[in-house]
Amino acid sequence: PAPSPDFWRQGALIPLCILHTQRGARMPGEDAADLFDLGTVRPDEEFTQCYSGECRVNLLPTLYRLNHAISNATDLSAPLGMILDIMRAGMRMDRGAVSLLDRRRGRVFIHDSFGLTEEEERRGVYAPGEGITGKVVESGKVIIAPRLHENPDFLDRTGAHAGETRRKSAFVCVPITLGRKVLGAIAGERCYVSRRLLKQDAEFLAAIALMIAPAVELYLIANVERLELERQNRELKDALKERFRPTNIIGNSKAMMADVYALIGKVSKTRATVLILGESGVGKELVASAIHYSSDRADGPFIRFNCAAIPKSLAESQLFGHEKGAFTGATAQRKGSFERADGGTIFLDELGELSHAVQAKLLRVLQDRMVERVGSSQPVEVDVRVIAATNRDLPRMVAERLFREDLFYRLNVVPVTVPPLRERGSDVILLADHFVAKACAAKGKSVKRISTPALNMLMSYHWPGNVRELENAIERAVILSDDAVIHAWNLPPSLQTPSESGTRLGVGLDDRVRAVEHEMIVEAMKAADGNIGRAAELLRISRRMLGTRMERHGIDARAFRPPVLPPRS
């Protein structure tokens, strides 16, 4: 009796089904329609219904070996190599390729092939739905092109057919599917003289695609997606390197160039412990980041630990880790910051806030490079570079026995002192311009410049909060600005000193109006390059009235005119 349709649908018997070569025979369980429609084919002497003398039965042992290779392979190279050999030697194809779908980047690329050069392989990239291969991957259906060069979807993206005469070769492309998920495609090209043989080869490749699909899915998960994550990780690290490289620390004052930049360049080439000193808000963390991302540890982790932000009772556990059950609430083993920074750098901010117990354990880590988790006596070796920072006076704390002397000397290998903002001169203006651009991008505003009185106020202020206070002041001014200019009255009240605003304590309305009038006249004269007539137009007053008010404020128009260069000899 004939086998039931369910018998023939078993995946392991597909290779047997497609080898049936009797004229007019169909696969059991199917209706009268062809499995693979060849479309309308023009009959001629090169493409007929006759047999070519080739037979696919002799490929049955090869299928067994392929199935065995797929079952025992640890990667995709051996099974794919065997498939391509079958296509080249057993099916006598001129070219063949196995393409895979990279879903994250939305492209279909050639993973392995024969008959193509390496350059042609690299060019064989398609978007889903683009070209024959892209359409197969998008639809999950077989496409047979009996006349490749006459197919409108043929793009020759690889360039393998460049310069060829119009050959009457056929192209077969079958999807690699697992369930309803398309993973890639197998394609082959050769000249056929038998329509039936072309159909058989398409069925044969479809069976191979079904066999290889599980291995392809595992490969894509383990390699393509992993490579994409590695690429994204590299891009992120490169962005961090660019962001924190020393040349991106804003400031060209002598204090920064000589005392900070030079030390960063020298110490980043070593693995020495660094102690960064400076007032709160000067940018100590930025200096630590620049040292890490300029060193040979830039590819390793950069772990930040704020000693003042963690309760003293938890600081030891957070730094060195703990074992399960070490204390109430320790429900699982946890790695500390030092273990997570293995192979990279740990940045200990606000170091002066550590308790004596944690200081003692930190000293051992610096000496032995060994960490003991809380609740464990088994040391763990770590390879970590330590960068510490504090705004406290550590020598005074050592004298008062608030900080361990031996730990201070262990940390103070290369001290880097970041100067306060009030000692950095013109860096205030550079930083202000940077924060204006940053705030405008974040707030969606457009501020073109900072007025002269506002600049004078920024330069004369003592900035007890340093760079952090300047950033907050500029952000506030950008929000309050209404005319694309930051004026003196847009700055915080703490900057409104009597000497800069032209007022005195207990300022009245007349004094305030006079100060605003002075600033507006100065701004107009700068915009007009000292031309009184044009300045009067900008202020919408007469030239005579402007002259009177300039005389009242002691403003000289010549101070705003551009210098006249001497003629060239």
Side-chain angles (χ1 to χ4, degrees), residues 67-104:
N67 194 25
H68 184 267
I70 293 173
S71 302
N72 295 280
T74 56
D75 58 22
L76 201 59
S77 59
L80 287 189
M82 186 176 292
I83 289 173
L84 294 175
D85 285 341
I86 293 172
M87 295 171 64
R88 179 177 56 247
M91 303 174 71
R92 301 181 183 179
M93 290 192 168
D94 300 323
R95 297 185 181 97
V98 177
S99 300
L100 302 182
L101 172 60
D102 184 350
R103 294 184 181 278
R104 290 178 176 269

Side-chain angles (χ1 to χ4, degrees), residues 213-488:
V216 170
E217 184 181 43
L218 291 176
Y219 173 83
L220 289 173
I221 294 174
N223 291 275
V224 175
E225 295 185 7
R226 176 180 59 82
L227 292 175
E228 177 64 16
L229 291 175
E230 290 179 354
R231 183 189 63 80
Q232 293 178 358
N233 193 28
R234 285 195 303 271
E235 290 179 354
L236 178 59
K237 287 182 177 180
D238 291 341
L240 288 173
K241 289 180 184 179
E242 180 67 18
R243 179 181 177 187
F244 293 112
R245 63 190 179 97
T247 53
N248 278 3
I249 299 179
I250 298 173
N252 54 15
S253 61
K254 182 179 179 181
M256 292 295 291
M257 297 288 286
D259 300 335
V260 179
Y261 296 165
L263 278 175
I264 290 176
K266 292 178 180 179
V267 78
S268 62
K269 300 175 182 177
T270 70
R271 298 191 177 185
T273 302
V274 180
L275 179 61
I276 304 175
L277 305 172
E279 298 178 3
S280 178
V282 295
K284 296 186 290 293
E285 184 174 345
L286 192 64
V287 173
S289 301
I291 293 173
H292 170 73
Y293 289 108
S294 299
S295 70
D296 57 357
R297 293 175 172 253
D299 293 331
F302 180 64
I303 305 299
R304 300 167 176 84
F305 185 86
N306 192 319
C307 303
I310 305 296
K312 293 183 178 180
S313 59
L314 296 177
E316 183 177 3
S317 170
Q318 294 288 326
L319 268 177
F320 310 114
H322 62 254
E323 295 290 343
K324 180 180 180 180
F327 51 85
T328 303
T331 58
Q333 184 190 77
R334 183 185 184 280
K335 289 185 178 182
S337 297
F338 270 94
E339 286 188 73
R340 290 190 291 116
D342 189 29
T345 303
I346 185 170
F347 173 55
L348 303 176
D349 199 8
E350 304 295 344
L351 181 72
E353 307 300 327
L354 288 178
S355 65
H356 273 277
V358 179
Q359 290 179 28
K361 201 163 184 177
L362 177 60
L363 177 62
R364 183 182 177 187
V365 174
L366 293 175
Q367 289 176 339
D368 303 334
R369 301 295 172 177
M370 305 287 287
V371 172
E372 283 188 14
R373 302 190 186 113
V374 177
S376 172
S377 59
Q378 184 66 33
V380 178
E381 185 176 356
V382 291
D383 177 20
V384 178
R385 179 183 192 165
V386 177
I387 301 177
T390 183
N391 60 355
R392 305 282 294 273
D393 186 354
L394 289 185
R396 182 182 61 80
M397 294 180 65
V398 170
E400 296 176 357
R401 299 185 180 277
L402 298 176
F403 197 85
R404 292 181 62 102
E405 184 177 11
D406 48 3
L407 178 59
F408 170 71
Y409 290 122
R410 179 66 67 175
L411 290 169
N412 196 33
V413 177
V414 182
V416 177
T417 302
V418 184
L421 187 57
R422 60 182 173 273
E423 296 179 5
R424 294 175 57 179
S426 60
D427 285 355
V428 175
I429 307 302
L430 294 176
L431 287 166
D433 289 336
H434 169 73
F435 291 138
V436 166
K438 181 180 178 181
C440 287
K443 308 299 180 185
K445 300 197 68 173
S446 177
V447 174
K448 304 299 183 183
R449 60 189 179 87
I450 305 174
S451 68
T452 300
L455 289 175
N456 292 335
M457 293 173 64
L458 294 175
M459 290 293 295
S460 62
Y461 187 58
H462 60 290
W463 298 109
N466 292 292
V467 179
R468 188 180 295 118
E469 184 183 6
L470 173 61
E471 182 175 9
N472 293 337
I474 294 298
E475 183 178 359
R476 175 188 189 273
V478 168
I479 294 173
L480 298 179
S481 175
D482 296 322
D483 56 354
V485 178
I486 292 180
H487 299 283

Side-chain angles (χ1 to χ4, degrees), residues 99-103 108 133-141 174-185 213 216 220:
S99 300
L100 302 182
L101 172 60
D102 184 350
R103 294 184 181 278
V108 183
T133 304
K135 287 185 179 296
V136 169
V137 171
E138 182 182 53
S139 64
K141 297 180 180 180
V174 300
I176 303 174
T177 57
L178 189 64
R180 296 183 178 180
K181 185 178 181 182
V182 181
L183 308 174
V216 170
L220 289 173

